[in-house]
């Protein structure tokens, strides 16, 4: 699905095995930036490479024309298909230093963050070729650039990408939709990151991995505000639960 002049969105459905015979239906978005080069943002889960390559083929792009895979963070639904995708395309894999270990050593991630069905979601480890820093400019050919924005909270090395030519921000899981799974490492970092994104100029399109693309400045601002309110509500609920003894060992 074409979102703007250079950015396309591809919705990836998948399932998480939460118990024997029980699965949870989920989805994530992969974004593709078409310039004189082609860059894919996140790889989806195990096996997703075929869906991405089919979509590229529909848009007259071969596997060898993909120059980079940028991983917004290291969780399974974002890196699960990275190993095979890199093998097929020969692309450069990019991520923030804070996510490097879990991308390059998925066995460590599986041990330290044992989400249900991890081995069914992740193909394996992949080397990070290029470490991205906050405010670094990523050039996608001569006509398109994206600015890397470090947006920790969901994870320590989560990044967003500000594509100013398209007035778009790709946020990974930094912007949490209300009522979605409350996954974050640090609530204060999460809220600070949302405020950082809210302060950006020229953002009329919000592209989250968790929800449908949001078009229009007012709608984008409402999403930021709703996410911030949801995080505050979650945090207050956690405080109240702890006060009642639910958070004690």
């Amino acid at each position: 699905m074409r979102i703007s002049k250079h950015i396309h969105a591809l919705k990836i459905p998948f399932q998480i095995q939460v118990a024997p015979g029980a699965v949870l239906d989920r989805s994530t978005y992969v974004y593709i930036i078409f310039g004189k080069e082609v860059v894919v943002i996140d790889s989806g889960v195990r096996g997703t490479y075929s869906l991405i390559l089919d979509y590229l083929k529909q848009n007259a792009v071969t596997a060898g024309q993909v120059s980079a895979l940028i991983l917004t963070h290291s969780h399974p639904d974002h890196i699960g298909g990275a190993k095979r995708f890199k093998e097929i395309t020969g692309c450069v894999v990019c991520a923030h230093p804070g996510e490097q270990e879990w991308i390059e050593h998925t066995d460590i991630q599986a041990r330290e963050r044992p989400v249900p069905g991890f081995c069914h979601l992740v193909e394996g480890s992949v080397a990070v070729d290029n470490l991205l820093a906050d405010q670094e400019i990523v050039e996608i050919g001569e006509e398109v650039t994206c600015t890397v924005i470090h947006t920790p909270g969901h994870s320590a090395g989560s990044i967003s990408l500000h594509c100013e030519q398209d007035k778009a921000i790709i946020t990974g899981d930094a912007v949490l939709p209300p009522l979605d799974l409350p996954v974050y490492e640090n609530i204060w970092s999460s809220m600070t990151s949302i405020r950082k994104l809210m302060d950006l100029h020229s953002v009329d399109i919000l592209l989250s991995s968790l929800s449908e693309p949001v078009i229009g400045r007012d709608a984008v601002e409402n999403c930021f505000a709703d996410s911030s309110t949801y995080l505050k509500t979650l945090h207050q609920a956690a405080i109240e639960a702890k006060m009642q003894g639910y958070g004690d060992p």
Side-chain angles (χ1 to χ4, degrees):
M1 174 174 60
R2 185 171 183 173
I3 302 299
S4 62
K5 181 178 180 180
H6 301 105
I7 304 173
H8 291 224
L10 181 59
K11 188 174 185 178
I12 307 292
F14 66 97
Q15 293 181 324
I16 300 175
Q17 186 174 350
V18 294
V23 296
L24 175 66
D25 289 323
R26 296 286 290 170
S27 63
T28 189
Y29 274 91
V30 165
Y31 294 100
I32 305 170
I33 305 176
F34 292 88
K36 289 190 175 180
E37 298 176 3
V38 175
V39 171
V40 175
I41 313 300
D42 289 331
S43 68
V45 299
R46 175 192 289 269
T48 297
Y49 69 88
S50 62
L51 298 177
I52 301 173
L53 293 176
D54 285 347
Y55 187 84
L56 291 172
K57 185 177 180 179
Q58 293 168 23
N59 287 273
V61 174
T62 65
Q65 290 176 281
V66 178
S67 61
L69 170 65
I70 299 178
L71 302 173
T72 60
H73 60 292
S74 61
H75 292 167
D77 52 328
H78 298 263
I79 70 158
K83 181 177 185 292
R84 186 74 175 123
F85 189 78
K86 180 178 181 178
E87 290 173 350
I88 294 174
T89 64
C91 69
V92 171
V93 174
C94 311
H96 188 275
E99 305 294 302
Q100 184 178 10
E101 183 179 48
W102 276 10
I103 296 170
E104 295 188 335
H105 303 282
T106 55
D107 56 327
I108 294 177
Q109 180 178 176
R111 185 170 63 250
E112 295 180 346
R113 188 176 183 268
V115 300
F118 185 94
C119 64
H120 298 290
L121 298 174
V122 179
E123 291 168 345
S125 304
V126 63
V128 177
D129 304 296
N130 185 14
L131 294 175
L132 299 175
D134 185 44
Q135 299 304 311
E136 183 172 341
I137 304 298
V138 176
E139 295 185 0
I140 306 172
E142 299 174 357
E143 59 177 302
V144 186
T145 61
C146 292
T147 302
V148 177
I149 303 172
H150 184 208
T151 47
H154 181 75
S155 67
S158 285
I159 58 171
S160 299
L161 296 164
H162 183 202
C163 306
E164 195 163 359
Q165 289 97 331
D166 291 60
K167 297 185 176 181
I169 184 76
I170 300 172
T171 62
D173 290 348
V175 179
L176 184 64
L179 304 182
D180 206 303
L181 295 175
V183 179
Y184 53 85
E185 289 185 357
N186 186 298
I187 186 121
W188 303 115
S189 294
S190 289
M191 289 193 288
T192 298
S193 292
I194 291 173
R195 285 196 295 271
K196 184 189 295 187
L197 295 174
M198 291 176 72
D199 288 340
L200 292 174
H201 300 291
S202 302
V203 177
D204 293 339
I205 303 173
L206 172 61
L207 301 174
S208 168
S209 298
L210 296 166
S211 56
E212 299 284 334
V214 176
I215 312 295
R217 181 62 188 176
D218 289 345
V220 170
E221 290 181 347
N222 288 338
C223 282
F224 285 143
D226 289 345
S227 181
S228 183
T229 298
Y230 183 42
L231 284 167
K232 291 175 183 177
T233 301
L234 290 171
H235 185 59
Q236 184 60 39
I239 291 174
E240 292 175 359
K242 186 173 183 179
M243 290 177 64
Q244 295 174 19
Y246 292 110
D248 295 337

